[in-house]
Amino acid sequence: MAKSIKLRAKAKGGVATVKCLISHPMETGLRKDKKSGKKIPAHFIQEVTAEHGGKSVLNAQWSGAISKNPFLSFKFSGANSGDSIKISWVDNQGKSDSLDGKIK
Amino acid sequence: MNHNRRVLLKGSLAAGAVGAAIGAGLLTPKAAVAAWAKAAFEAKDVNVALSSAMGSSDTTTTDKIKLKAPDIAENGAVVPITVTSNIDGTSSMSILVPKNAQPLTSTYTFGSNTQGYISTRVKMGKTSDVIAVVKANGKLYSTKKEVKVTIGGCGG
């Protein structure tokens, strides 16, 4: 189920710029359903991790205040074109996904 | 007779212990994300959230952190934020929106090779400052910028 993550990673001068887009509803748990008046249960990504060469390069902890279909971009050095990079996320309902991508 | 009674007692004791563990939230799926700083994210106050997430709420204002955000955001649900820290030894970063019900939006922990740069999109309930807090060499630095949110989307 690696379809929820879109990844672009480019290396230039040893520095990789990673951009990823995750499709996720990111419900805060504070919003109400207009028809029934009931609260929509919280459903958001809590943790995103990025690994390069077996080492963690980024650990992001999110709340429901990150926009729907979240976008995340970061940079790290020591990367070469062709290296693999792994992005994974876990949400508050225990669902998760991960993607292995290549740096261009 | 007596022996059976012992066995029954032991069995019920063990079941009780498992039940207590579930009750305490130890065995729910949420426990898998044990590292998630629940207290920090649920804090309603900026200082409480900061102390919980970064260890202190004592920050030094600096111009070495660049916070890029729109002056006016027409749609508060999607506000692009880019934070660049030019401080050596940046190890983690938090982005806060003080006027949101829960100010702490996200926290990032960097690996040794990772640069102090994060770009993402956050939700904002209304016009508010956006605060970026960076932890470098055990000290906290911050910078902020006001973003106006126009809910009607008329661009006022």
Side-chain angles (χ1 to χ4, degrees):
Chain A
M1 179 200 144
K3 281 178 182 164
S4 71
I5 307 174
K6 273 187 186 168
L7 178 74
R8 290 272 181 283
K10 249 185 186 171
K12 198 177 177 186
V15 177
T17 305
V18 182
K19 290 175 184 170
C20 53
L21 203 53
I22 306 170
S23 52
H24 199 279
M26 297 302 278
E27 280 296 344
T28 56
L30 307 169
R31 227 155 60 92
K32 279 181 182 168
D33 190 307
K34 273 181 189 157
K35 281 177 194 157
S36 65
K38 279 185 188 159
K39 277 192 177 174
I40 301 170
H43 188 200
F44 57 87
I45 295 176
Q46 286 190 316
E47 196 172 21
V48 183
T49 47
E51 270 178 48
H52 169 252
K55 259 174 52 181
S56 166
V57 284
L58 183 76
N59 175 295
Q61 295 200 4
W62 283 354
S63 70
I66 297 293
S67 303
K68 185 180 174 184
N69 298 333
F71 167 79
L72 176 69
S73 172
F74 58 95
K75 293 176 184 174
F76 63 94
S77 57
N80 294 308
S81 170
D83 286 2
S84 65
I85 179 164
K86 187 181 179 186
I87 306 279
S88 46
W89 60 259
V90 181
D91 70 19
N92 67 329
Q93 298 185 353
K95 288 179 191 154
S96 63
D97 198 2
S98 66
L99 177 78
D100 286 297
K102 283 244 181 313
I103 298 172
K104 276 181 190 165
Chain B
M1 235 2 218
N2 219 354
H3 175 72
N4 278 347
R5 196 168 152 262
R6 284 299 114 197
V7 169
L8 182 71
L9 255 178
K10 262 188 196 163
S12 60
L13 269 179
V18 172
I22 292 171
L26 289 174
L27 294 178
T28 56
K30 271 187 183 169
V33 214
W36 196 67
K38 194 167 184 281
F41 283 111
E42 286 183 353
K44 304 253 188 293
D45 184 81
V46 176
N47 288 338
V48 175
L50 262 185
S51 329
S52 183
M54 309 286 267
S56 164
S57 60
D58 189 17
T59 62
T60 312
T61 313
T62 176
D63 54 4
K64 279 191 173 175
I65 308 168
K66 286 214 168 66
L67 175 62
K68 200 176 140 200
D71 293 328
I72 297 172
E74 295 199 6
N75 182 359
V78 186
V79 184
I81 305 280
T82 302
V83 185
T84 313
S85 161
N86 295 320
I87 304 169
D88 287 338
T90 297
S91 58
S92 63
M93 184 188 281
S94 286
I95 301 173
L96 298 103
V97 180
K99 287 200 181 152
N100 275 2
Q102 295 165 353
L104 186 64
T105 66
S106 51
T107 305
Y108 304 89
T109 309
F110 299 118
S112 51
N113 287 336
T114 314
Q115 300 184 350
Y117 167 89
I118 285 291
S119 179
T120 188
R121 300 192 293 220
V122 303
K123 292 175 195 165
M124 292 180 66
K126 54 185 164 186
T127 299
S128 170
D129 282 337
V130 173
I131 308 180
V133 178
V134 166
K135 190 174 198 176
N137 308 317
K139 277 188 177 170
L140 294 181
Y141 300 92
S142 73
T143 192
K144 64 180 175 182
K145 183 181 180 196
E146 192 190 42
V147 176
K148 285 195 171 119
V149 176
T150 57
I151 294 166
C154 301

